[in-house]
Amino acid sequence: MFVLFTSLTNVAQFFGIILVSFVVAVLTQLIYKRFSDQERIKELNQKIRSLQNEMRGVKDPDVLMKLNNEMLKANSDKMKLIMKPMMLSSLLFIAVFPVCSNLFKGFNLFIFSTSLPIIGADVGWFLTYIFASLLASTLVRKKMGVQV
């Protein structure tokens, strides 16, 4: 499943993908921090958590339905708050992915015989990016204190 680094080019491409994932993660979190009401999102997250905890001990279906409706309302409000930054960060991804597809063509840390739309048959860089991006986003979000 894994292919060892066979050349210096693969090592450079690997670290390039890691760098791109960290840069995109930082830019995405800056977008979220700038274009969303972080305090309101934090309040809604706390409200959702408290409603979930409250729902665990409730047996009455009417009370459960009321709590569930409150939680759905809080989730809906939260989605409205993060919709704008989500759309802006989508534009960032749309701009970055074709460039990465050309830059990292032929990089195969993972070998899969499949083809993805826009990305094509070279999915090795994409899978590496996804794993690096999950790690980078989590680290950057924690460090910057961004609420999502």
Side-chain angles (χ1 to χ4, degrees):
M1 205 78 182
F2 289 98
V3 175
L4 296 176
F5 294 118
T6 56
S7 69
L8 193 57
T9 305
N10 276 351
V11 173
Q13 285 182 327
F14 176 75
F15 285 112
I17 293 169
I18 301 296
L19 178 67
V20 167
S21 70
F22 269 93
V23 169
V24 169
V26 168
L27 292 174
T28 301
Q29 298 313 314
L30 286 173
I31 290 170
Y32 271 90
K33 196 165 184 109
R34 169 70 174 91
F35 292 101
S36 65
D37 184 356
Q38 291 293 296
E39 289 301 315
R40 180 73 177 126
I41 291 173
K42 188 174 185 177
E43 290 171 12
L44 288 170
N45 282 338
Q46 289 172 345
K47 182 177 181 179
I48 291 167
R49 250 183 261 114
S50 71
L51 287 170
Q52 286 173 339
N53 291 335
E54 213 176 312
M55 288 173 71
R56 287 190 184 113
V58 174
K59 301 287 185 215
D60 184 18
D62 293 331
V63 175
L64 199 59
M65 183 68 78
K66 182 180 175 253
L67 291 172
N68 192 36
N69 286 337
E70 284 182 49
M71 192 167 68
L72 287 173
K73 171 84 170 90
N75 274 322
S76 175
D77 292 344
K78 182 179 159 184
M79 266 315 279
K80 289 175 188 171
L81 289 172
I82 64 172
M83 189 59 69
K84 185 177 180 181
M86 189 184 311
M87 297 299 278
L88 291 172
S89 62
S90 295
L91 293 174
L92 176 66
F93 291 123
I94 290 170
V96 167
F97 274 86
V99 173
C100 286
S101 184
N102 286 331
L103 271 176
F104 304 121
K105 188 173 288 262
F107 177 79
N108 286 320
L109 184 59
F110 300 96
I111 297 176
F112 291 96
S113 57
T114 187
S115 180
L116 298 174
I118 299 174
I119 296 168
D122 280 332
V123 295
W125 74 267
F126 184 67
L127 294 172
T128 306
Y129 173 83
I130 287 175
F131 290 125
S133 178
L134 288 172
L135 177 64
S137 296
T138 303
L139 292 174
V140 171
R141 187 177 297 132
K142 296 273 187 204
K143 187 72 174 167
M144 292 176 69
V146 176
Q147 300 289 321
V148 179

